[in-house]
């Protein structure tokens, strides 16, 4: 798999997607949207991958959308660009595998939106987050106005969106935008250790946890509980049977 904007590698059961435009601080362009979508198609065909990690090459995770590409767009071009980013990020959010963001540096604008589309976020102590679009007379275009309030609350979200403030990892942790901070040089090792832990769990259970959690968040509590009951029951005489037998027999489950 050869791409211009990303690098992909597999380590054990973890697939690593690395944004690879360090000369542009990994700014997100149309090529990235196309290539990442194509890569997700390929990953779906690979055996053995149970977790994805997204990170960046160089000193940025992704420092935003590619302003050089955007600067001459018409309103209709802008809508298509926004739609392409939203479609990809929605796919990441709803992808059948757990997806972890390992934020190694700047995650601004579209980069912050990409991180928010992942299931959870770990950050280097050097990471910086923000939605600075209003500085350019713009607003977020890749669902930042929708995901940020869900993650940090409306007040915190609007404060970041209105002020365009860039916050450090400690503040991002305080408001709930990220889950953990690691020393910069340890970020990938720590993230891959968690990915390995997640990969050791029941793969179908992982998929269903993600499905039920995301779908349930847009349902009434009662409908969400019904969905949980349905998916809970579906694992009996399936993966859950192996997991429970392994527990009773005091051995590791065989998920393959």
């Amino acid at each position: 798999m050869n791409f211009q904007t990303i690098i992909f590698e597999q380590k054990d059961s973890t697939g690593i997607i690395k944004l690879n435009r360090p000369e542009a601080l990994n700014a997100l362009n149309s090529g990235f949207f196309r290539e990442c979508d194509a890569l997700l198609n390929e990953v779906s065909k690979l055996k053995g991958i149970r977790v994805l990690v997204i990170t960046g090459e160089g000193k940025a995770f992704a420092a935003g959308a590619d302003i050089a590409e955007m600067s001459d767009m018409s309103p209709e071009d802008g809508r298509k660009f926004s739609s392409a980013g939203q479609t990809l990020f929605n796919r990441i959010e709803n992808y059948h595998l757990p997806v972890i963001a390992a934020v190694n540096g700047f995650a601004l604008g579209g980069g912050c939106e990409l991180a928010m589309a992942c299931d959870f976020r770990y950050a280097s102590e050097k990471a910086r987050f923000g939605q600075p679009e209003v500085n350019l007379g713009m607003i977020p275009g890749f669902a930042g106005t929708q995901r940020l309030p869900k993650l940090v609350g409306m007040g915190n979200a609007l404060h970041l969106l209105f002020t365009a403030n860039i916050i450090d990892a400690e503040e991002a942790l305080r408001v709930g935008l990220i889950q953990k901070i690691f020393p910069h040089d340890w970020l990938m090792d720590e993230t891959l250790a968690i990915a390995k832990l997640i990969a050791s769990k029941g793969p179908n259970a992982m998929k269903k946890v993600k499905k039920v959690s995301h779908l349930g968040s847009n349902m009434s509590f009662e409908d969400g509980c019904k969905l949980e009951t349905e998916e809970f029951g579906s694992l009996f005489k399936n993966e859950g049977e192996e997991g429970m037998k392994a527990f009773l027999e005091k051995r590791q489950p065989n998920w393959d």
Side-chain angles (χ1 to χ4, degrees):
M1 291 180 279
N2 294 316
F3 299 105
Q4 298 294 316
T5 66
I6 50 180
I7 297 170
F8 178 77
E9 63 177 310
Q10 181 175 350
K11 288 189 176 180
D12 299 320
S13 297
T14 301
I16 303 170
I17 300 172
K18 182 175 288 189
L19 281 66
N20 189 38
R21 297 181 71 217
E23 73 287 350
L25 297 179
N26 299 323
L28 308 178
N29 60 12
S30 297
F32 167 75
F33 298 146
R34 290 191 298 270
E35 290 189 349
C36 193
D37 186 64
L39 174 59
L40 294 177
N41 288 337
E42 293 301 315
V43 169
S44 297
K45 302 172 187 176
L46 296 176
K47 293 184 178 180
I49 294 182
R50 292 179 176 170
V51 183
L52 288 179
V53 171
I54 300 178
T55 192
E57 179 67 31
K59 64 181 181 180
F61 177 77
D66 192 335
I67 297 173
E69 180 178 1
M70 294 168 58
S71 61
D72 292 327
M73 288 183 178
S74 68
E76 184 58 28
D77 291 335
R79 293 184 185 100
K80 290 178 180 178
F81 189 63
S82 171
S83 179
Q86 288 182 9
T87 297
L88 175 64
F89 292 1
N90 288 344
R91 185 175 186 192
I92 290 170
E93 183 175 71
N94 295 294
Y95 201 60
H96 65 284
L97 300 176
V99 183
I100 307 170
V103 182
N104 54 301
F106 295 111
L108 307 178
C112 189
E113 291 171 294
L114 172 58
M116 289 191 290
C118 298
D119 293 312
F120 57 90
R121 289 145 292 282
Y122 290 158
S124 154
E125 61 195 346
K126 296 183 180 182
R128 297 294 184 268
F129 299 84
Q131 297 290 163
E133 287 86 354
V134 294
N135 287 336
L136 303 176
M138 297 294 292
I139 68 171
F142 308 144
T145 60
Q146 306 306 301
R147 289 194 175 94
L148 190 58
K150 291 182 178 180
L151 289 171
V152 305
M154 187 61 75
N156 285 328
L158 289 176
H159 182 261
L160 289 170
L161 292 164
F162 286 159
T163 64
N165 282 351
I166 295 173
I167 61 174
D168 61 18
E170 291 287 350
E171 179 66 5
L173 181 65
R174 187 190 71 79
V175 299
L177 183 56
I178 63 175
Q179 279 59 61
K180 286 188 178 182
I181 303 170
F182 295 111
H184 183 73
D185 292 341
W186 297 2
L187 174 63
M188 283 306 295
D189 286 344
E190 295 288 348
T191 301
L192 291 174
I194 295 298
K196 184 176 181 180
L197 174 66
I198 293 171
S200 72
K201 314 303 181 184
N204 287 329
M206 292 293 98
K207 294 174 185 177
K208 291 181 184 296
V209 163
K210 183 166 182 173
K211 173 184 175 181
V212 173
S213 297
H214 281 298
L215 291 178
S217 69
N218 294 312
M219 295 178 174
S220 68
F221 181 79
E222 291 77 10
D223 287 343
C225 286
K226 289 178 182 177
L227 177 62
E228 180 183 88
T229 293
E230 179 63 29
E231 298 296 355
F232 175 78
S234 73
L235 289 167
F236 286 81
K237 297 301 179 184
N238 194 307
E239 184 175 273
E241 181 176 20
E242 166 61 15
M244 288 185 279
K245 282 184 177 179
F247 176 82
L248 294 173
E249 295 169 2
K250 295 181 172 57
R251 61 174 174 81
Q252 292 297 313
N254 179 13
W255 302 125
D256 295 324

